[in-house]
């Protein structure tokens, strides 16, 4: 198993492990994560949904607000109860179906004013619901709990199914409205259940005090609006609440996810000042469920919601009632969609990311990542379904980052090995090709047809005997530097320097279909470059080096050859390598600069016929026999009749 296969298996194993971890988190759903991260994604989904299509209100619910205008015209809050009684009577005169009052009356003002307000509520033919205060302090136990007054007990929920599956929010204490005001009205709690970031996303549609369960103000108002009796509110275990023919989904704690329609002002509240001054037409309230409350900043009843931090509590309650009356509920996903997404994306990324290049891998991750987000948003916008976004997306991101980093280090290490191996053999361009396409360079060994070039200095022994060694080394270095530069220009692989001999080949490690042409042009260029060196050396008064070049084309064995752990070289071996070396030696016998074999000529014939090399003269020199071969091979001298090297395109 090679390194790439091992890395792919490790990546796939990590993908499975990551997916398993996020599946466990999805099933566990720790509140610390859900309320700090997943709920934030819910807020964005609200905003995006409203950009796509703003939900429309049914018109069944209206809000009368004691707003800034009301305070300017009738004085600061709290108003005296005589004025509040007048406001209540004028609202009731406009014939609402239900009046739900989101104002507390827990302290007495004076007997006359309190009686006037109580009488206003009692005189109504319609039902009225008053907000009631319950205190919920986690982990706090009260030694002595007060008994509930009769008018509060009359509002308690009567029917509960699967009681053992009900784990509601428990109140530790309460503060009732004074009997003079609340004697003939029902109550509904307005306990605000905020998430850890302080935002109200949930409505506690029922909470528990001692052995009694009380509906929220919105639930009680919705029941009255539907004309249902109190015993038609049925709590169904861990499923929710059945209200007549309407089923309200709720969790184990009795919480309903509020389907907000927008920021404050969405219900277009009616100013209490306009009600008091008679500016409201009867049709604006007639037959509607009306919520009365405060919205002015000075009244301190502003809530933090997904749309705004300044939504009046009365509008929040009106929103919940609208949800119930229209059946427009947000539903939490059971989890099947998220489980399928985690498993499928985990397998897909584990299988394909290790095999894909960086850009394609990033594209796949982006498609999966964005596809799930879009699907989650569409389900929310058009089906009111809240699917978990955090764990599937976090799993995809974790896998994508890990695979990117793993592949980066793997490919960097591999690139470093390739660069170290080939930087002294081939041109930087070929090195980059190998790095970018490592699968094209088989380094373990293969048979391949290549073109081999040998070049040797003529008369080097004599020269070295007559010239100081320092000067010989300088000449050789300059000669090798120039010749190696030419070979690299023509994308050749510089196999080795052996004494004064150069060995190079074309066609490996990357495929070069025109390997014979490249080698041939390189030879012509080497001869031309050497002639320029001759001129330079003569001007400097230095000895002149000359060389012979032999070229052959044929099948060889190529790969990393050597002793494991000590030294290995990327090189070629075979009969055609030996033939190339022998042909180079024959340049001295025939006093020729460049000699090629019939095998190389066969590859060059189409180009020679087109005169692609300019003015070239080919002369057959002889037929030679290679050691180990029975048949003789024809060799040809190459003369370039045109001055100047054939520069690379």
């Amino acid at each position: 198993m090679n390194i790439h296969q091992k890395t792919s298996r490790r990546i796939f194993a990590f993908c499975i492990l990551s997916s398993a971890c996020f599946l466990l988190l999805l099933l566990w759903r720790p509140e610390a994560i859900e309320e700090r991260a997943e709920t934030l994604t819910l807020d964005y989904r609200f905003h995006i949904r409203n950009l796509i299509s703003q939900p429309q209100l049914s018109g069944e619910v209206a809000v009368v607000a004691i707003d800034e205008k009301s305070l300017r015209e009738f004085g600061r809050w709290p108003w005296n109860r005589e004025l509040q009684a007048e406001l209540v009577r004028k609202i009731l005169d406009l014939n609402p179906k239900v009046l739900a009052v989101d104002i507390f009356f827990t302290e007495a003002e004076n007997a006359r004013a309190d009686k006037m307000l109580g009488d206003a509520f009692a005189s109504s033919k319609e039902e009225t619901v008053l907000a009631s205060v319950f205190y919920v302090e986690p982990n706090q136990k009260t030694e002595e709990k007060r008994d509930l007054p009769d008018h509060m007990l009359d509002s308690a929920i009567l029917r509960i199914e699967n009681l053992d599956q009900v784990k509601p929010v428990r109140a530790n204490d309460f503060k009732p409205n004074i009997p003079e005001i609340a004697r003939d009205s029902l109550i509904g709690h307005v306990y605000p259940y905020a998430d850890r970031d302080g935002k109200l996303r949930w409505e506690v549609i029922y909470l528990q005090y001692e052995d009694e369960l009380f509906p929220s103000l919105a639930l009680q108002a919705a029941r009255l609006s539907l004309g249902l009796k109190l015993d038609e509110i049925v709590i169904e275990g861990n499923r929710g609440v059945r209200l007549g023919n309407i089923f309200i989904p709720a969790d184990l704690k009795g919480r309903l996810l509020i389907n907000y329609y927008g920021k404050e002002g969405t219900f277009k509240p009616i100013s209490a000042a306009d009600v008091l001054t008679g500016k409201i037409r009867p049709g604006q309230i007639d037959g509607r469920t009306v919520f009365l409350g405060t919205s002015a900043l000075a009244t301190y009843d502003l809530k933090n919601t997904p749309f705004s931090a300044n939504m009046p509590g009365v509008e929040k309650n009106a929103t919940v009632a609208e949800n119930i009356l229209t059946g427009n509920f947000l539903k939490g996903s059971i989890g099947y969609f998220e489980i399928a997404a985690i498993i499928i994306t985990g397998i897909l990324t584990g299988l394909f990311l290790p095999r894909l290049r960086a850009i394609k891998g990033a594209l796949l991750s982006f498609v999966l990542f964005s596809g799930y987000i879009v699907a989650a948003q569409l389900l929310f916008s058009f089906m009111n379904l809240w699917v978990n976004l955090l764990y599937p997306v976090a799993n995809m991101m974790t896998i994508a980052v890990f695979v990117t980093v793993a592949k980066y280090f793997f490919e960097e290490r591999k690139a470093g090995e390739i660069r170290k191996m080939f930087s002294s053999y081939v041109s930087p361009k070929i090195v980059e090709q190998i790095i970018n396409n490592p699968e094209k360079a088989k380094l373990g060994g293969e048979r391949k047809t290549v073109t081999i070039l040998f070049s040797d200095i003529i008369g080097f022994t004599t020269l070295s005997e007559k010239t100081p060694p320092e000067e010989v080394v300088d000449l050789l270095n300059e000669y090798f530097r120039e010749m190696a530069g030419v070979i690299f220009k023509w994308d050749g692989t510089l196999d080795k320097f052996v004494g004064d001999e150069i060995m190079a080949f074309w066609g490996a490690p990357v495929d070069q279909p025109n390997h014979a042409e490249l080698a041939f042009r390189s030879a012509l260029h080497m001869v031309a470059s050497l002639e320029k060196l001759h001129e330079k050396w003569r001007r400097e008064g230095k000895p002149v080096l000359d060389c012979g070049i032999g070229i052959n084309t044929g099948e060889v064995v190529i790969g990393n050859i050597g002793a494991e752990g000590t030294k290995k070289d990327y090189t070629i071996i075979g009969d055609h390598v030996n033939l190339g070396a022998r042909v180079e030696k024959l340049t001295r016998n025939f006093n020729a600069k460049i000699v090629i074999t019939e095998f190389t000529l066969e590859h060059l014939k189409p180009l020679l016929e087109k005169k692609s090399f300019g003015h070239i003269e080919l002369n057959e020199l002889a037929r030679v026999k290679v050691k180990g071969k029975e048949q003789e091979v024809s060799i040809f001298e190459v003369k370039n009749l045109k001055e100047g090297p054939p520069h690379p395109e």
Side-chain angles (χ1 to χ4, degrees):
M1 187 185 299
N2 58 36
I3 295 176
H4 182 71
Q5 290 174 322
K6 288 181 179 178
T7 303
S8 297
R9 290 195 176 185
R10 288 170 184 166
I11 289 175
F12 184 77
F14 177 84
C15 293
I16 299 303
L17 178 62
S18 174
S19 299
C21 290
F22 282 104
L23 277 175
L24 289 175
L25 284 172
L26 177 67
L27 297 174
W28 179 22
R29 299 204 178 206
E31 288 187 6
I33 297 176
E34 293 280 313
E35 292 189 13
R36 292 186 183 277
E38 177 62 21
T39 51
L40 292 178
T41 72
L42 178 67
D43 296 348
Y44 286 110
R45 277 178 265 188
F46 271 117
H47 287 279
I48 295 171
R49 181 197 67 182
N50 281 22
L51 288 174
I52 297 172
S53 178
Q54 176 85 33
Q56 298 300 311
L57 297 175
S58 67
E60 293 186 42
V61 179
V63 173
V64 175
I66 299 169
D67 55 6
E68 304 289 352
K69 177 182 178 181
S70 303
L71 298 189
R72 285 196 303 270
E73 295 187 18
F74 292 92
R76 67 183 182 179
W77 185 259
W79 289 346
N80 66 71
R81 286 180 181 159
E82 292 182 17
L83 180 58
Q84 292 184 55
E86 181 183 353
L87 174 62
V88 169
R89 282 195 300 270
K90 289 198 172 186
I91 292 174
L92 294 175
D93 288 343
L94 293 170
N95 196 32
K97 187 182 291 185
V98 178
L99 175 61
V101 183
D102 189 12
I103 300 171
F104 301 136
F105 306 105
T106 56
E107 303 291 341
E109 183 176 302
N110 60 68
R112 180 174 179 277
D114 293 341
K115 184 177 183 304
M116 285 182 65
L117 184 55
D119 289 344
F121 288 133
S123 66
S124 169
K125 295 179 182 179
E126 294 76 20
E127 299 279 8
T128 58
V129 186
L130 303 184
S132 185
V133 181
F134 283 89
Y135 298 104
V136 178
E137 298 294 336
N139 303 321
Q140 178 178 321
K141 293 183 179 180
T142 305
E143 292 294 333
E144 296 183 5
K145 292 191 176 182
R146 294 179 293 160
D147 293 333
L148 290 160
D150 291 340
H151 74 272
M152 291 184 69
L153 286 171
D154 290 340
S155 297
I157 296 173
L158 303 175
R159 294 178 61 188
I160 304 170
E161 296 179 0
N162 300 321
L163 181 62
D164 59 322
Q165 296 184 35
V166 177
K167 306 293 181 185
V169 174
R170 289 179 175 271
N172 306 102
D173 200 0
F174 69 96
K175 194 170 188 180
N177 295 312
I178 60 174
E180 292 81 0
I181 294 175
R183 62 183 186 272
D184 293 310
S185 298
L186 295 169
I187 68 156
H189 80 83
V190 286
Y191 170 66
Y193 191 102
D195 284 330
R196 295 177 187 235
D197 59 0
K199 290 185 180 179
L200 286 178
R201 300 183 180 90
W202 303 90
E203 168 80 352
V204 178
I205 54 177
Y206 58 85
L207 61 69
Q208 183 173 2
Y209 180 79
E210 292 188 328
D211 295 328
E212 303 294 340
L213 293 168
F214 292 93
S216 69
L217 180 69
L219 177 60
Q220 192 76 282
R223 175 185 70 81
L224 295 172
S225 182
L226 293 169
L228 301 175
K229 297 179 180 179
L230 189 60
D231 63 1
E232 291 184 86
I233 299 178
V234 183
I235 297 174
E236 296 187 357
N238 188 25
R239 296 181 62 240
V241 174
R242 183 159 28 92
L243 185 62
N245 295 324
I246 298 173
F247 183 78
I248 305 170
D251 65 6
L252 184 68
K253 297 179 180 179
R255 300 183 307 170
L256 165 69
L257 187 62
I258 303 173
N259 189 2
Y260 286 102
Y261 297 91
K263 62 181 183 179
E264 67 273 9
T266 298
F267 280 84
K268 294 182 173 53
I270 298 168
S271 174
D274 291 339
V275 175
L276 288 167
T277 55
K279 295 179 181 179
I280 302 302
R281 300 185 305 275
Q284 290 180 259
I285 289 179
D286 185 23
R288 302 174 74 183
T289 300
V290 177
F291 281 81
L292 170 63
T294 61
S295 66
L297 290 174
T299 61
Y300 303 105
D301 187 27
L302 300 179
K303 309 300 181 185
N304 189 4
T305 73
F307 281 104
S308 170
N310 298 304
M311 176 173 281
V314 66
E315 281 200 60
K316 187 272 292 183
N317 292 322
T319 299
V320 177
E322 173 81 9
N323 291 169
I324 296 172
L325 292 173
T326 60
N328 189 18
F329 301 115
L330 291 177
K331 300 176 286 293
S333 169
I334 297 175
Y336 296 143
F337 184 81
E338 297 92 322
I339 291 171
I342 290 175
I343 293 174
I344 292 171
T345 56
I347 293 174
L348 286 177
T349 51
L351 288 175
F352 290 104
L353 285 185
R355 304 178 185 182
L356 296 174
R357 298 287 303 281
I359 295 178
K360 291 183 178 179
L363 182 62
L364 174 63
S365 298
F366 176 77
V367 168
L368 294 175
F369 176 85
S370 58
Y372 184 81
I373 293 176
V374 170
Q377 182 62 53
L378 292 175
L379 290 171
F380 183 81
S381 297
F382 298 106
M383 296 182 66
N384 282 351
L385 184 62
W386 176 20
V387 301
N388 187 283
L389 198 65
L390 179 64
Y391 302 124
V393 168
N395 183 48
M396 285 183 263
M397 290 180 63
T398 300
I399 291 172
V401 170
F402 175 82
V403 172
T404 300
V405 172
K407 287 187 70 178
Y408 173 79
F409 282 112
F410 169 73
E411 290 175 359
E412 279 297 302
R413 186 177 69 177
K414 191 170 183 179
E417 292 174 355
I418 291 173
R419 200 171 271 113
K420 181 179 178 181
M421 183 184 300
F422 287 102
S423 59
S424 59
Y425 294 160
V426 298
S427 67
K429 183 174 81 173
I430 299 297
V431 171
E432 291 306 315
Q433 287 183 31
I434 299 171
I435 291 171
N436 293 332
N437 301 279
E439 69 280 357
K440 293 184 179 181
K442 296 181 181 178
L443 309 182
E446 63 175 327
R447 291 187 179 276
K448 200 170 188 181
T449 298
V450 300
T451 298
I452 312 111
L453 180 149
F454 282 90
S455 175
D456 198 2
I457 296 175
I458 299 172
F460 178 73
T461 303
T462 303
L463 175 69
S464 60
E465 290 175 352
K466 296 180 179 180
T467 308
E470 296 83 359
E471 192 173 338
V472 171
V473 171
D474 289 341
L475 283 171
L476 280 176
N477 286 339
E478 189 172 8
Y479 166 76
F480 284 141
R481 185 167 54 249
E482 186 69 24
M483 296 301 104
V486 171
I487 291 169
F488 286 164
K489 282 181 181 179
W490 292 101
D491 297 334
T493 299
L494 184 60
D495 188 294
K496 60 176 70 75
F497 297 122
V498 181
D500 60 329
E501 183 182 71
I502 298 173
M503 177 182 171
F505 55 87
W506 284 258
V510 296
D511 291 333
Q512 293 170 307
N514 60 336
H515 51 82
E517 177 190 356
L518 293 172
F520 190 73
R521 291 187 184 277
S522 181
L524 296 174
H525 198 165
M526 289 169 70
V527 171
S529 296
L530 186 57
E531 289 174 356
K532 289 185 178 180
L533 280 177
H534 287 171
E535 295 174 5
K536 176 179 179 293
W537 288 334
R538 288 191 186 100
R539 288 196 305 271
E540 295 173 352
K542 295 180 180 178
V544 174
L545 301 180
D546 208 349
C547 75
I549 299 173
I551 301 175
N552 180 43
T553 301
E555 187 179 79
V556 300
V557 175
I558 188 167
N560 280 313
I561 299 173
E564 190 70 43
T566 55
K567 180 174 176 58
K568 296 179 76 173
D569 289 320
Y570 185 75
T571 188
I572 55 177
I573 57 175
D575 291 342
H576 280 281
V577 179
N578 299 332
L579 176 57
R582 184 177 177 194
V583 167
E584 186 278 320
K585 300 300 182 186
L586 292 175
T587 57
R588 295 161 179 75
N589 298 347
F590 295 100
N591 194 27
K593 294 282 188 182
I594 303 172
V595 175
I596 66 174
T597 67
E598 61 181 76
F599 305 119
T600 301
L601 180 60
E602 188 65 28
H603 284 76
L604 297 175
K605 274 183 180 179
L607 297 171
L608 290 169
E609 290 172 358
K610 295 178 183 178
K611 299 188 181 298
S612 299
F613 302 107
H615 299 285
I616 298 294
E617 181 181 304
L618 286 174
N619 299 313
E620 185 171 356
L621 298 175
R623 291 184 63 80
V624 296
K625 191 173 182 180
V626 185
K627 184 177 180 181
K629 297 288 185 183
E630 294 296 330
Q631 294 183 347
E632 295 182 335
V633 178
S634 296
I635 60 173
F636 300 82
E637 178 188 13
V638 179
K639 288 186 178 181
N640 186 4
L641 303 179
K642 184 178 180 180
E643 293 184 358
H647 293 289
E649 296 176 1

